[in-house]
Amino acid sequence: MRRYLSVVSFLVFAVALTTYTLVTGCGGSLMSPKSAGSAVPMTLTIGDTPPNGVAVVFFEAMITGVSLQPSDASKSAVSVLATPTEVEMSHLQTDRAFLSLTKVPPDTYSSMTMTFSNAALTIVNHSGAAVGSCANNTTCELSPSFNPSMATVTAAPFPVTISANSAVGVRLDFDVNSSVQTDLSISPAVTVKKVTVKREDEDEDEMEELDDIDGQVSAVGTNQFTLTNERTGQSFTISVDSNTVFEDFGASGCTASPANFSCIQQGQVLSVDLSENGMGTMLAKRVELEESANGKAIKGTITSVDSTTQFHMVVFNEEPAVSGAAEGSPVIVTIASGATFQIGRQEMGEDGGFSIGGASFASGADLMVGQDVQIRPGTVSTSGSVTTITTDLVRLRPSQITGQVGTNSGNGSFTLTGLSPLFTGATPPVTTINVVTLSDAEMEDFSGTMAPTTGNTVSVRGLLFNTPTTPTLVTRMIREDNPD
């Protein structure tokens, strides 16, 4: 049973981050692993296993090293992370982040060790009391320390035997609920969630899916483009094929109908869903335009709504960097007169979308706490410690929310309760969210029946609408949280 972190009742942490081993550095590019004798390709991923009531709206840390220790203690540890990588974990409850792609010698390994540094935490305090220097009903940025800075995994599935002529994928969980201590230091708790092994000659088989890879197009080639991520400096060389779906490119002036690879231009800000085959090949399944060439996009989680023309949010992603609006910082967003409101098409699906009464996003009246949104920054000004950004575009993006399954209608709809204090401490409070599951929904990490069970903890990813009486989240991704 998961426990609440007893700093104060609202602080409940559990973040697990899914990442691939990706050989990249500042300004680097994704490369196929170099030949190293009979070395075996390894993909390393890390994901989020959140607890009940996550009140963290931003959690970022530097992963400085990952290594495997052979069972033969006389052998040296094998590094599987080429360069330190910064990862924002609070938006990995249902998603995965890519770390590295490398090669490891065939052997039997008894453990994996990870090292961390430079944690950054942004919380919303609705506890009824101050948390350290963070006053009640405020949003605060913290810089917790790692103590210790290292975590070693020796439990199942270790020992792991890696054979020649294979490819291996490892998915890790970083459990923030167990990691954050009462003094707000972090003692990292890591487990291996999944190990996938396939033959090296199965090049076309998918090793892992990665959603919402954000970045700016830094190069365009023949049926491929390079996407550079602002936060990490990582560059991904991504191929497209006849099945790749291109969305929202009309805003760029592209006249192709339907949109296709010809719409991609250097300097555009894109969000990409892709698959990786464990050998270094990345194939785009969906490419969505977020901003036209040389434009800027800021994504954030809404923490309060003042009026139909102003809201507060915590920035969790910006492409490219915006001066005065650092990732992890709380900002005030002022909506310009005549601003455009849009819905990102990511959750609409190939079936053309959905029709749900009251599920609209057409004005400031449709804003609510917990929504993830993208804005186009206009003027950015700072007075004292308060940063205000004006925008002429607000786009609804998928939110990731964790809670307990309440009532379940059995037709793909259920209620989500036990919500984060981000919701229950809001004005007015939100204690229940109606979840509507669309066709082709992915059900991940479920045990037994592939359906949400009353009382179980799940994470859902989808568009959150401020529908009358009770908010509605429309999802194509549900993950069950099964603590070991």
Side-chain angles (χ1 to χ4, degrees):
M1 184 177 208
R2 289 196 177 274
R3 61 176 175 83
Y4 282 84
L5 182 67
S6 57
V7 180
V8 282
S9 60
F10 95 101
L11 277 176
V12 184
F13 299 84
V15 172
L17 154 92
T18 308
T19 60
Y20 274 86
T21 327
L22 168 75
V23 180
T24 57
C26 241
S29 61
L30 177 65
M31 300 175 291
S32 297
K34 295 180 179 180
S35 175
S38 59
V40 173
M42 171 173 283
T43 294
L44 179 67
T45 62
I46 185 167
D48 178 8
T49 301
N52 304 338
V54 174
V56 176
V57 287
F58 182 85
F59 183 86
E60 185 176 75
M62 183 75 74
I63 300 176
T64 57
V66 183
S67 62
L68 287 169
Q69 177 60 53
S71 295
D72 182 349
S74 67
K75 296 181 179 179
S76 299
V78 177
S79 173
V80 294
L81 185 67
T83 188
T85 302
E86 193 172 57
V87 182
E88 201 280 297
M89 305 183 198
S90 64
H91 287 77
L92 293 173
Q93 297 175 37
T94 61
D95 291 344
R96 297 173 181 81
F98 199 99
L99 284 184
S100 178
L101 174 66
T102 189
K103 283 201 168 188
V104 299
D107 207 337
T108 297
Y109 295 90
S110 61
S111 65
M112 174 177 282
T113 297
M114 301 183 69
T115 55
F116 304 87
S117 68
N118 299 340
L121 197 65
T122 306
I123 61 176
V124 177
N125 181 5
H126 288 314
S127 67
V131 181
S133 60
C134 186
N136 185 42
N137 292 326
T138 59
T139 301
C140 303
E141 295 180 82
L142 307 173
S143 299
S145 60
F146 280 96
N147 183 28
S149 61
M150 180 181 297
T152 299
V153 182
T154 58
F158 289 102
V160 171
T161 299
I162 297 176
S163 304
N165 302 315
S166 65
V168 180
V170 178
R171 186 187 302 175
L172 305 172
D173 274 355
F174 183 99
D175 188 337
V176 178
N177 185 51
S178 299
S179 299
V180 179
Q181 307 303 300
T182 55
D183 62 355
L184 293 182
S185 66
I186 299 175
S187 177
V190 181
T191 58
V192 174
K193 187 71 175 179
K194 182 180 179 182
V195 175
T196 303
V197 181
K198 68 173 188 175
R199 296 196 312 272
E200 190 172 358
D201 58 4
E202 297 173 330
D203 287 352
E204 301 305 315
D205 290 357
E206 182 179 80
M207 179 70 78
E208 188 67 83
E209 294 182 4
L210 297 169
D211 292 339
D212 272 352
I213 302 297
D214 291 326
Q216 192 167 30
V217 178
S218 54
V220 179
T222 303
N223 292 324
Q224 68 177 30
F225 61 95
T226 301
L227 197 69
T228 299
N229 182 271
E230 175 71 30
R231 174 186 293 113
T232 64
Q234 293 175 333
S235 293
F236 304 85
T237 299
I238 302 170
S239 299
V240 304
D241 64 11
S242 59
N243 295 317
T244 302
V245 176
F246 298 83
E247 296 176 340
D248 294 336
F249 278 86
S252 69
C254 183
T255 58
S257 182
N260 55 38
F261 180 73
S262 67
C263 296
I264 293 181
Q265 302 174 19
Q266 188 162 332
Q268 289 173 336
V269 178
L270 305 180
S271 175
V272 183
D273 293 348
L274 52 82
S275 64
E276 194 271 341
N277 69 350
M279 301 295 294
T281 299
M282 303 184 103
L283 176 65
K285 297 189 294 183
R286 183 194 64 87
V287 181
E288 181 180 358
L289 177 73
E290 295 191 338
E291 271 298 332
S292 298
N294 302 316
K296 295 184 178 182
I298 296 178
K299 292 181 182 178
T301 300
I302 296 178
T303 56
S304 65
V305 178
D306 298 329
S307 68
T308 57
T309 59
Q310 183 172 286
F311 62 91
H312 295 240
M313 75 175 189
V314 171
V315 176
F316 65 82
N317 181 268
E318 53 185 3
E319 295 288 346
V322 176
S323 178
E327 291 176 350
S329 64
V331 300
I332 297 174
V333 178
T334 300
I335 304 170
S337 176
T340 300
F341 284 76
Q342 297 178 343
I343 298 176
R345 293 191 55 82
Q346 181 171 3
E347 301 300 309
M348 303 298 278
E350 297 178 4
D351 55 8
F354 51 85
S355 178
I356 297 173
S360 67
F361 194 76
S363 72
D366 296 317
L367 297 170
M368 67 167 287
V369 166
Q371 287 174 331
D372 279 0
V373 295
Q374 172 196 328
I375 66 169
R376 177 191 295 136
T379 302
V380 180
S381 60
T382 301
S383 177
S385 59
V386 179
T387 296
T388 301
I389 304 173
T390 61
T391 186
D392 63 356
L393 171 69
V394 184
R395 179 178 292 144
L396 184 64
R397 306 292 307 186
S399 298
Q400 298 186 52
I401 300 172
T402 297
Q404 286 77 52
V405 178
T407 58
N408 192 334
S409 65
N411 62 357
S413 299
F414 60 93
T415 60
L416 199 64
T417 62
L419 301 173
S420 161
L422 175 64
F423 293 100
T424 59
T427 304
V430 176
T431 58
T432 303
I433 293 175
N434 293 325
V435 178
V436 177
T437 305
L438 299 179
S439 60
D440 303 324
E442 295 182 51
M443 314 293 285
E444 186 172 288
D445 296 338
F446 276 77
S447 57
T449 177
M450 295 295 288
T453 302
T454 298
N456 282 12
T457 299
V458 297
S459 293
V460 291
R461 178 183 188 276
L463 299 171
L464 179 61
F465 293 97
N466 189 19
T467 47
T469 308
T470 305
T472 299
L473 186 141
V474 183
T475 184
R476 293 184 188 276
M477 165 59 77
I478 305 174
R479 177 184 176 188
E480 186 173 58
D481 179 21
N482 293 311
D484 297 327

